Amino acid sequence: MIAELGLAALWLAAALAGLQLIAGAVSVKQPDGPLASLARPAAVMQGVLAAFAFAMLLWLFAQTDLSVKLVAANSHSAKPMIFKLSGTWGNHEGSMLLWITVMALAGAMIGYLERRLPEVTMQATLATQAFVGLGFYAFLLLSSNPFERLPTPAAEGQGLNPLLQDIGLAFHPPTLYFGYVGLSVAFSFALGALLTRQVTPNFARAMRPWVLGAWIFLTLGITAGSYWAYYELGWGGWWFWDPVENASLMPWLAATALLHSVSVLAARDALRAWTIMLGVVAFSMSMMGTFLVRSGVLTSVHAFAVDPERGAFILVLLGIYIGGALTIFALRAGTVQEGERFTATSREGALVFNNVMLSAILAVVLVGTLYPLLTEAFGVQVSVGPPYFNPVGAIFTLPMLAVMAVGPLLRWRRDGVKRVSKPAVFLAIFAVVVGALVAYLSNASVLAVLGLAFAAALGIGSLLPLKGRNLLRTPLATWGMVTAHFGIAVALFGMASESAFSIEKLVAARPGDVTEVGPWKITLDSVDPVVGPNWTALQADLQASYKGAAAIELQPQSRTFWSPERETAESALATRWNGQLYAVMGSGIEDGRRQLRLWWKPFVPMIWLGGILVALGGLLALIGRLTADLKRHYVRRRSAERREETQA
Amino acid sequence: MSALKPKHQRLVLVVVALIALIAAGLLAAYALRNQASYFYVPTQMAANPPDPTQAVRLGGMVQAGTLKTMSDGITVAFIVGDGEAQVPVRFAGILPDLFVEGSGVVAEGKLGADGTFVADNLLAKHDENYVPRELEEMTAAQAKRTVSETAQ
Amino acid sequence: MIRRWYLWLPLVAFIGFVALVTSGLMRPMDREVVSRMVGKPVPEFALKPSIPELPGLSSADLQDGKPKLMNIWGSWCLPCIAEAPHLETLKANGAEIVGVAIRDKPEDVAGFLAQNGNPYIRIGADDLSAVQLEIGSSGVPETFVVDGNGIITYQHIGDVRAEHVPMLLEKLDEAAQ
């Protein structure tokens, strides 16, 4: 019954999306027509119904209703409740339902709240949103129905996969999805504005919170995903340039560029066509990310259940939406009036530079990710990894970082080079000194030296906009920018340190053996069998002492799960403020020794700390923008009331 | 630089963006020619060995009974075959989960001058339904022979 | 129009991308590797029993004059659970089904059969996928029709669904001719 309710709600939501599309599209042509008042309520209802359908699926998973195919295949009555619930979206059908639910709720929010834009633009925006939604409804209802029943209920579920019982993994995909959906809203706004020729600062202000929100989620998702790969794969690396990772990075790059160009449009009414274009690109990157991960056209170290049919479906959607949007863009962008002017040495100039560099990095990542596909078409198999991405990416990243360090000091519209030359020269000298010191004192690679030098300069430079200001009266949005830029510097510092100063030791040790890794002394005490709920493991007891301090206990394991059978190496970490000790245990050798792989990674936690700071900066900016909007709204209402009073 | 005429400004922006993107594309193409790592099966490696400086990937089946740990306790040696040719592989490090004799593996590394492939990374299959996609390229005959060798 | 030629560049780039991934998507489509063994006799093999209750499987068992379905499966494979009821239907309609358990453990096989029913008269344990590859099967589940003389007459790739049952019964009848 519950499953049928959910399915009915989903069909109704899809029907409402159809209604919303028609009502919105007709009302663009006839703003005062009979359908003009329909699109907004339809959007709200659609959100409610989709959320209801998703709640039904949650309920089925919470109850472990084994007559439903999806539950039988992905859940198990013995799972802890939290993993039963997260199992709802831990599979293809459920995650697509989550996607459409979040998207419908976002549409409902716009329909209910957004009043700044001309009504006709809103109609076009809601119609676009419904059009995108319909594609996903069709996908769900026609090819991957989450509510499908089994002819005979299963006796027990199959989803006790231990690897998916990981809290990080449970919440990583939804985080990225929120980001993708936020970008879909930005896409709808961009098309709505383009179709109704309303590319204005007001449109940018309406779109900005969605871009910011999406960008915060993407930042968090990428940071969490990187940390997960770091401790789960046990390879000691934090970024592999794997197709799945690139699929999440590309939308982030596009969203970062979009975020900055939207700011220019909102503040200065420039970069109109460019912003629209980026809105389309950012959403296409998120759809493409989903496509690459789900279709299996690219193999990856992250094994996913892939299905060419699903890939084809997503590809068709991608073709319709993005191809259509780019065609409209090509036809319409010419009619968008030129924005306000500015000189090369101005805040806009710096932001344009940042946008162009981000686009170039995006192109580098995209080309590298798709290159194996291209060569495969000619029958040659290649893989592309760090030797390509790191140096080529750096060529565009480093100039961008340099401009980032001084760009926020520039004034809008036009500025003299003289005004920022002093801090710029100071930062440059500082960077050179840091780089020279690192190069002299360590045997770091060129890229790592450059990374540390730029991180140092950017760390100082990002704080300069606060210089000489009353910190209490500085707007939150400025604080947000400073925090995010500083976060980038912190993350870069972590990445470059990890690459420059990491020490790796690979040993075969007997109990009692001592290994030195950098400042650490590590003693292998014993190797004992331990038993978990659905695994057995061998666990090494390591006593790790930092420069003679009291020992910390580390317990890396080599685990064997049954049902389904697999072995995993569970790494163990000891975190200090200045780095992490990372230990992995390997197999045993006939003579009784065990393999241990130990890393001392100075400042590696800064990578993720930086990521969190960047997201926090985004959050501060979002709060600042929203409160300012509310204030403006309130003041306007008050003055309207006063006018009425005086007239009365 | 003075403020340009609006029309010119747009054109300048477009040109700048285009130049940057084309530069990115050309750089990427140039770097990919040198940095992409090609995939070999043992037969190809025997017939046409890659340059010892070139990072490549070698895929095949780990031959049964060939996995040995060296006296230092951390270097392992094994033989990867495809039923026609065999390549000895050396790897210093912890073997990946699910690395067993008789299953597929993709080794990333360089071919040494002595004909031993020195791997700096191994990818084993990730779950029961997953075979590294390159291994599917092996002909049925190669796969068959591989199995007959690994099953002994 | 022509003055704004550069506005079309994004679309052109995107079309190039779509063309590229479409070609890539066509590639996995032929992951269904059709066995070259159809029409040929089953290779010689002898597999030990997977569970003590049922006998193992050898190529000689497939030459006893009665056509059989040879089901390649694993207790760890999800589609195999989905196809279990349809194998039961086939059995109820008089099909003799022999199983080859791929990379499996006796206790897992026993658990699977307890949960999903047992349509098999023999189950051989193929711990290294040796037989699976020998007869040209590239994945699980797959079902082969073998006539009474040990000749493979038909290969069904993927799980057996309700709509395949009559077709497989027909193939068995053809093999009996």
Side-chain angles (χ1 to χ4, degrees), chain B residues 75-131:
Chain B
T75 310
V76 290
F78 54 92
I79 289 177
V80 167
D82 59 5
E84 285 172 29
Q86 301 183 331
V87 176
V89 178
R90 215 173 48 232
F91 172 68
I94 288 185
L95 294 174
D97 313 333
L98 292 174
F99 179 90
V100 284
E101 291 183 352
S103 78
V105 68
V106 173
E108 302 175 341
K110 291 175 179 161
L111 183 68
D114 60 349
T116 303
F117 189 84
V118 182
D120 42 34
N121 200 1
L122 296 181
L123 298 174
K125 62 191 199 97
H126 242 261
D127 67 64
E128 303 87 339
N129 302 315
Y130 174 81
V131 179

Side-chain angles (χ1 to χ4, degrees), chain C residues 122-143:
Chain C
R122 295 170 171 277
I123 303 179
D126 188 6
D127 293 340
L128 284 171
S129 308
V131 172
Q132 184 190 13
L133 285 166
E134 289 250 334
I135 65 165
S137 150
S138 58
V140 281
E142 287 190 17
T143 306

Side-chain angles (χ1 to χ4, degrees), chain A residues 474-489:
Chain A
T474 306
L476 264 183
T478 306
W479 274 106
M481 174 190 81
V482 168
T483 312
H485 285 191
F486 186 69
I488 296 275

